[in-house]
Amino acid sequence: MKMELFRRRYANCREVMAQRELDCVVVFPGANMYYLTGFMEEPLERLLVAVLPRSSEPIFIVPELYEKQVGASTWITDIRAWKDDEDPSKILNEVLQSLSLVGGRIALDTKMWAKFFLMFLSVAPKAVYSDASEVIDGLRAVKSRKEIKVMEESASIADRVIKKIIDACGVGSREKEIASLIELEFRKLGIESMPFRPIVASGPNGAFPHHKPGDRRFKRGDSVVLDLGAAYKGYCSDITRTIFIERCGSKEKAVYEVVRQAQQLAFESIVEGVEARRVDRAARTHIADRGYGEKFVHRTGHGIGLDIHEAPYIWEGNTQILKTGMTFSVEPGIYLPDGFGVRIEDIVVVEGKKARRLNKVSRELTVI
């Protein structure tokens, strides 16, 4: 059944290739390769690609040491292996020649390393190359019920961890120590990898949206931005909460409420059939109307699934139409240099005329 799923995805990919008049998609180790072939591996210095033609059967090109591993993981039966003492460009040339692709329209994985793109250029200089994200992103953006179920479980794990972390924070806690505790709590729950390093940003460090945890200790009155996520059964989760240590000043309360309301308005704007930028506008307009427009320095959200950041991206320029099954973050923030920062983030799924949050942790102001 699982292999049939990957076959269906490839069939859908072929339909998009036909619509875009492309002859082939080539995927590189990572989420796209897994999505279409069932084989997952990290990028490596040896040529390992799946060549997925529109009009013939696909072919894997793999280093010899991966031949059996790939064969056991994918529905693709034609696997061409090359030895370490061979030039992989020769087998690449043979494959492209056999598929009549040397002068074709080839879409390459957006995450393919430059060295392999240059190899394609040397082997097939007359081919017309494009970005495979134009084919694959739209397919991956709409999740199946089974995918959403896994993402619900991933979100639940992130919720459990952030609740424990909030309880562990206090005056004197060090950013690095809390970040390490986040990793430990995930491991306790059987999570061996995280899609990004946890963000623990206290006091003035909260004004940096992607602050790296340092040696700063929490002080009374600090805001603390906590941003974390898990990779569970291949699918990512992501949640951000901002808490306050022992007390919350009037300005901090006011800013927090602006962000909370902006996040709620953005969430309420999500329905099938609207453009992604509508969600961004809902949050951004509210924040700007309260005088903090220039302090909201990033997009309102990003798609999430096999990758922590994928389509659809929730920003002003994105006219992509939201569809049922799309999953993405809603995470407005306000960042005051030399002061503090506030961000609130949930993962949501589009469900017809409404959206549903996958994260269940309270968004009300929390002072610990």
Side-chain angles (χ1 to χ4, degrees):
M1 287 295 293
K2 189 173 182 180
M3 290 303 167
E4 185 58 34
L5 168 65
F6 298 116
R7 284 179 179 271
R8 289 199 304 270
R9 288 174 175 174
Y10 177 42
N12 294 336
C13 182
R14 278 177 155 174
E15 291 180 5
V16 180
M17 278 193 275
Q19 293 167 9
R20 295 184 174 272
E21 298 182 341
L22 294 170
D23 299 309
C24 177
V25 163
V26 178
V27 289
F28 188 65
N32 284 337
M33 179 172 283
Y34 173 75
Y35 184 81
L36 292 172
T37 75
F39 177 68
M40 173 61 86
E41 182 55 270
E42 297 296 319
L44 66 161
E45 75 280 5
R46 296 178 173 93
L47 178 68
L48 195 165
V49 293
V51 181
L52 308 170
R54 188 181 78 193
S55 303
S56 52
E57 291 303 303
I59 298 174
F60 249 112
I61 301 175
V62 305
E64 186 179 38
L65 75 165
Y66 276 90
E67 184 175 9
K68 291 184 179 179
Q69 187 176 343
V70 172
S73 304
T74 183
W75 58 274
I76 296 173
T77 57
D78 193 344
I79 300 173
R80 314 281 181 90
W82 58 276
K83 301 177 185 295
D84 274 349
D85 60 358
E86 295 177 328
D87 180 357
S89 66
K90 292 183 178 180
I91 193 169
L92 176 61
N93 180 58
E94 292 172 3
V95 168
L96 296 183
Q97 290 281 358
S98 69
L99 296 172
S100 301
L101 291 172
V102 289
R105 297 173 59 85
I106 302 175
L108 297 178
D109 198 320
T110 191
K111 294 188 177 181
M112 179 180 285
W113 290 359
K115 64 180 288 186
F116 300 121
F117 176 44
L118 293 173
M119 187 183 295
F120 271 84
L121 285 176
S122 68
V123 168
K126 294 183 179 181
V128 177
Y129 295 99
S130 61
D131 187 343
S133 64
E134 297 178 3
V135 178
I136 304 173
D137 281 6
L139 299 175
R140 283 179 50 188
V142 178
K143 308 300 190 292
S144 68
R145 291 181 180 179
K146 288 184 178 179
E147 287 178 295
I148 292 171
K149 178 63 177 176
V150 175
M151 292 187 67
E152 289 172 347
E153 294 168 352
S154 187
S156 177
I157 291 169
D159 283 0
R160 290 170 64 185
V161 169
I162 203 167
K163 286 179 181 179
K164 285 195 172 185
I165 294 305
I166 289 172
D167 290 341
C169 290
V171 171
S173 298
R174 195 188 300 268
E175 290 177 348
K176 282 184 176 178
E177 293 171 351
I178 295 299
S180 295
L181 183 59
I182 290 170
E183 295 174 2
L184 177 61
E185 291 298 332
F186 275 128
R187 286 197 293 271
K188 286 180 180 178
L189 294 174
I191 302 299
E192 295 300 328
S193 66
M194 292 178 291
F196 61 95
R197 185 181 181 186
I199 294 172
V200 181
S202 63
N205 290 337
F208 303 107
H210 281 180
H211 172 71
K212 291 181 173 58
D215 292 323
R216 188 181 186 280
R217 292 186 182 277
F218 301 172
K219 299 176 182 179
R220 186 170 185 268
D222 274 352
S223 66
V224 181
V225 180
L226 300 168
D227 189 343
L228 54 88
Y232 173 74
K233 294 184 179 179
Y235 285 83
C236 301
S237 56
D238 196 359
I239 183 174
T240 304
R241 292 293 183 266
T242 302
I243 61 172
F244 296 88
I245 305 299
E246 293 193 354
R247 71 175 181 85
C248 180
S250 58
K251 184 173 185 178
E252 285 82 357
K253 285 181 181 178
V255 170
Y256 187 90
E257 184 60 15
V258 171
V259 175
R260 190 194 67 78
Q261 290 176 356
Q263 208 252 10
Q264 180 64 24
L265 289 169
F267 173 72
E268 292 173 356
S269 76
I270 301 167
V271 296
E272 184 177 47
V274 304
E275 295 175 339
R277 63 182 177 179
R278 170 176 166 172
V279 184
D280 182 84
R281 286 175 180 173
R284 199 167 302 278
T285 299
H286 181 77
I287 290 174
D289 287 348
R290 270 67 184 171
Y292 293 103
E294 294 183 358
K295 307 304 180 184
F296 181 13
V297 296
H298 56 74
R299 63 197 172 200
T300 295
H302 57 84
I304 186 170
L306 291 171
D307 283 320
I308 189 65
H309 287 179
E310 59 182 54
Y313 294 97
I314 310 302
W315 67 291
E316 171 56 34
N318 190 3
T319 59
Q320 184 174 8
I321 300 300
L322 298 183
K323 298 178 181 179
T324 289
M326 285 185 170
T327 52
F328 51 86
S329 69
V330 179
E331 50 177 308
I334 293 175
Y335 308 92
L336 304 179
D338 301 320
F340 63 96
V342 173
R343 182 167 68 253
I344 303 171
E345 174 188 22
D346 290 314
I347 300 304
V348 304
V349 55
V350 182
E351 295 183 334
K353 296 301 180 182
K354 61 181 178 61
R356 176 167 61 91
R357 287 183 169 97
L358 301 188
N359 300 103
K360 309 302 181 184
V361 178
S362 172
R363 291 168 300 282
E364 296 302 315
L365 189 146
T366 300
V367 181
I368 59 169

